[in-house]
Amino acid sequence: MKKILFISVLGLLSCSKNAQTHPPVGGVLSQKDLDVSKNRMKNLNAQERMQIQEWINSQPVKFYPTQLNYWVSTQGFDQRQRRQDNSLISYSYDLYDFDQTKIYDQPIQRRDAKFGHFEELKAVEDALRFIHDGEEVTLLVPSSLAYGTYGDEKKIDNDIPLIIKLKAL
């Protein structure tokens, strides 16, 4: 019985893959590790873009690509005049997965945030530069512009693209 247990444990251990995800403390990633990471993100982004485009094709609403690599429900959105640094904006947004399930019960909301002095998801911060007061837009965001490789450490897992319903208050 001990031999069977030992062989089973040995078999399980030999099947596990020892992939380094973080550089050693005080160390740096090698060029090979950086290339592997770069290729992984490039492949993931291409796959997510394809999945998002398939989702868009099945929707009655049109979505338009932006220069920052996300889609928005308003044509010519990122061609508008940009808000300047230090200008104030109040906004809220809800997060959904691509099954259109709302992730958090309450919207994420900020009052009088000053551009250049707050941190937000890349796609949200970019969209806030172009949104008009009182306007509501829907963003389709690949994971690299959302919570990326680590998720939000609460309800959003790693590498999850999101639907963001953003409103300028």
Side-chain angles (χ1 to χ4, degrees):
M1 183 66 176
K2 287 183 180 181
K3 278 186 177 181
I4 293 173
L5 181 61
F6 177 74
I7 291 172
S8 297
V9 170
L10 186 62
L12 284 173
L13 291 175
S14 67
C15 290
S16 70
K17 186 175 182 181
N18 187 11
Q20 181 181 0
T21 57
H22 303 285
V25 174
V28 294
L29 290 173
S30 68
Q31 186 60 45
K32 180 182 173 192
D33 291 335
L34 291 172
D35 290 341
V36 167
S37 178
K38 180 180 171 184
N39 288 333
R40 177 191 174 282
M41 287 308 297
K42 186 177 178 182
N43 292 337
L44 178 64
N45 190 34
Q47 181 182 15
E48 286 179 1
R49 288 183 61 78
M50 211 167 54
Q51 290 169 342
I52 291 171
Q53 190 60 57
E54 287 174 9
W55 186 88
I56 289 170
N57 294 341
S58 70
Q59 300 303 305
V61 177
K62 289 191 89 176
F63 288 90
Y64 305 92
T66 65
Q67 295 176 5
L68 191 62
N69 193 29
Y70 64 91
W71 289 260
V72 67
S73 58
T74 303
Q75 188 173 17
F77 185 75
D78 63 346
Q79 304 304 314
R80 297 174 175 179
Q81 184 174 346
R82 290 175 53 92
R83 292 178 190 251
Q84 298 300 311
D85 277 350
N86 295 318
S87 60
L88 298 176
I89 189 165
S90 296
Y91 60 94
S92 69
Y93 61 91
D94 287 302
L95 301 172
Y96 298 82
D97 62 21
F98 273 82
D99 291 329
Q100 298 188 40
T101 303
K102 193 172 184 180
I103 297 173
Y104 289 106
D105 294 332
Q106 298 297 317
I108 296 166
Q109 189 167 346
R110 308 270 192 272
R111 294 274 179 196
D112 296 325
K114 188 183 284 191
F115 280 105
H117 300 280
F118 68 95
E119 274 193 40
E120 195 56 79
L121 298 175
K122 290 177 188 175
V124 169
E125 188 167 351
D126 185 68
L128 287 170
R129 294 276 184 177
F130 300 105
I131 198 168
H132 295 146
D133 290 341
E135 184 178 22
E136 190 169 342
V137 295
T138 300
L139 312 175
L140 308 178
V141 182
S143 64
S144 61
L145 296 175
Y147 289 96
T149 304
Y150 301 104
D152 74 346
E153 298 178 356
K154 296 173 190 161
K155 289 188 171 187
I156 301 172
D157 206 2
N158 62 317
D159 300 328
I160 301 295
L162 297 172
I163 298 171
I164 301 173
K165 296 191 179 186
L166 174 65
K167 183 174 184 176
L169 306 174

